[in-house]
Amino acid sequence: MIDLFETKPRLSERGQQMHGLIGELYPICRSITGNGVRRTLDIIGRNIPLTRHEVPTGTRVFDWTVPKEWNIEEAWVENSRGERIIDFRNNNLHVLNYSTPVNKTVNLAELKQHLHSLPDHPDWIPYRTSYYKENWGFCLSHNQLQSLPEDNYRVVIDASLTDGALSYGECLIPGETEEEVLFSCHICHPSLCNDNLSGIALMVQLARLLRGKTLRYSYRFLFIPGTIGSITWLARNEAQAARIKHGLVVVCVGDEGPFTYKKSRQGNAVIDRAVQHILGQEGGHFELIDFYPYGYDERQYCSPGFDLPVGSLSRSSHGCYPEYHTSADNLELVKPHSLAESLAIYLQVVDLLENNSTYINQNPKCEPQLGKRGLYRAVGATAHHAFDEMALLWVLNLSDGKHSLLDIAERAGTPFGKIKAAANALIEAGLLSHE
Ligand code: ZN
């Protein structure tokens, strides 16, 4: 059995590495298409092997069309004294993402029609997009908005919206079977850390950890722009989507909030049970929410024509933390120790999926005599999970070819790791074998 346990010092080192990667990606202005996405994929590709795809503008993907590609050089607003009062160089959230080019002088009233701010958080800059409706705009703090005097303002957005491509990347780590576990994150947000750079960093780390291991499942890591990216991937891989047996959308894994698990549309898939079991055994508070057709790319994976067992495991969830989609979702909001904790949970989920086999008790008529096999009072088979006698008895009793180790762990109310250690010991003693 594979063991994906990481020691505390190693996890904390990985937390620092993830935070470092977030810092490297933070300054890049990303969107659903364009060179910011490509630069992001360049950096991911330096860490893990990445297959890159460019899907041309105009390509039909189910009911959608790959949009024009957006790129931006500079953007600013200048007052009549020639002072730049808003500058994209200071913060790329200042520009309405996907703004059309503009170069003109406007009065305050007209300018205000194109300004976005957050009255409830007057120091923060909001993140706003206009992907599918051509528009231009700037985002700024509410305090700054309120301080703007009557004046003539020169507005310049040097952006282009032209035929190009939608870029995405994928990393496949092959296992013994073609059955896949999917990890998916969006890569379209500009300087925002928890949503969504934390997801990218965790997936990179997870892929690095799984590479080179002997795995039962194949692991597919998708780095895609939100919504249009998952729709594009599903449209281009419709036939092979059925290989996906378990999946998670990885997002908002770096803040200090409690874990949140949003179930797949199926609601009781193995991935749903696996995550609930692990979070439950951790003992901390966590939120469990039923699938709803909003949020991130699980909306597409769980659309009725696919209905894949894909949930979403995050800390603070979509839209539910004040810093969400604002300049306060920054490098201070995400913590190395939170990233490390999230990685540890994801590793436990993978460990469970990999080891969740169904066995047959080779001595099913009454209990085997464990003492003579040295199994009573035995000390753990792995460093972190001592198996106990109750775990041995549960595994023996329920290993009738109909119950997986997760079934047994749930019924026994025992951590999966202990059930796994007990099964391992019973296999070594010849008391358990594969179906
Ligand atoms: Zn978002």
Side-chain angles (χ1 to χ4, degrees), residues 32 42 50 130 140 142 146 191 197 226 233 236 277 280 358:
I32 52 173
D42 288 345
L50 199 66
S130 189
L140 73 172
H142 196 65
Q146 286 190 309
S191 300
L197 295 176
W233 189 87
R236 302 177 93 212
H277 176 77
T358 300

Side-chain angles (χ1 to χ4, degrees), residues 127 186 189 192 195 296 318 324-325:
Y127 162 56
H186 53 289
H189 288 26
L192 296 164
D195 173 21
Y296 299 104
H318 180 262
Y324 172 80
H325 280 192

Side-chain angles (χ1 to χ4, degrees), residues 4-16 18 282 336-337 339-344 347-348 383-384:
L4 292 166
F5 179 72
E6 286 275 289
T7 61
K8 277 237 159 65
R10 285 295 294 144
L11 274 173
S12 118
E13 203 176 299
R14 292 186 189 281
Q16 295 292 348
M18 287 186 274
E282 281 292 296
H337 72 89
L339 291 159
E341 260 176 38
S342 302
L343 178 67
L347 282 170
Q348 285 191 60
H384 61 296

Side-chain angles (χ1 to χ4, degrees), residues 25 33 137 149 160 166 213 271 330 365 371 391 435:
L25 295 168
T33 62
S160 61
L166 175 147
K213 294 233 164 40
I271 187 69
N330 58 22
K365 291 181 178 159
E435 278 182 281

Side-chain angles (χ1 to χ4, degrees), residues 153 184 226 266 298 361:
Y153 293 93
S184 175
Q266 298 178 19
E298 67 278 5
N361 179 345

Side-chain angles (χ1 to χ4, degrees), residues 188-249:
C188 50
H189 288 26
S191 300
L192 296 164
C193 289
N194 201 33
D195 173 21
N196 63 209
L197 295 176
S198 68
I200 299 177
L202 190 144
M203 278 185 25
V204 165
Q205 200 62 240
L206 196 53
R208 286 173 65 175
L209 272 160
L210 295 182
R211 274 189 81 199
K213 294 233 164 40
T214 304
L215 299 162
R216 164 182 174 185
Y217 290 108
S218 297
Y219 286 79
R220 187 176 298 277
F221 295 83
L222 287 186
F223 299 89
I224 50 173
T227 305
I228 188 70
S230 50
I231 293 171
T232 301
W233 189 87
L234 286 164
R236 302 177 93 212
N237 297 279
E238 193 174 349
Q240 88 186 57
R243 291 181 190 166
I244 296 168
K245 299 302 171 197
H246 318 282
L248 288 173
V249 168

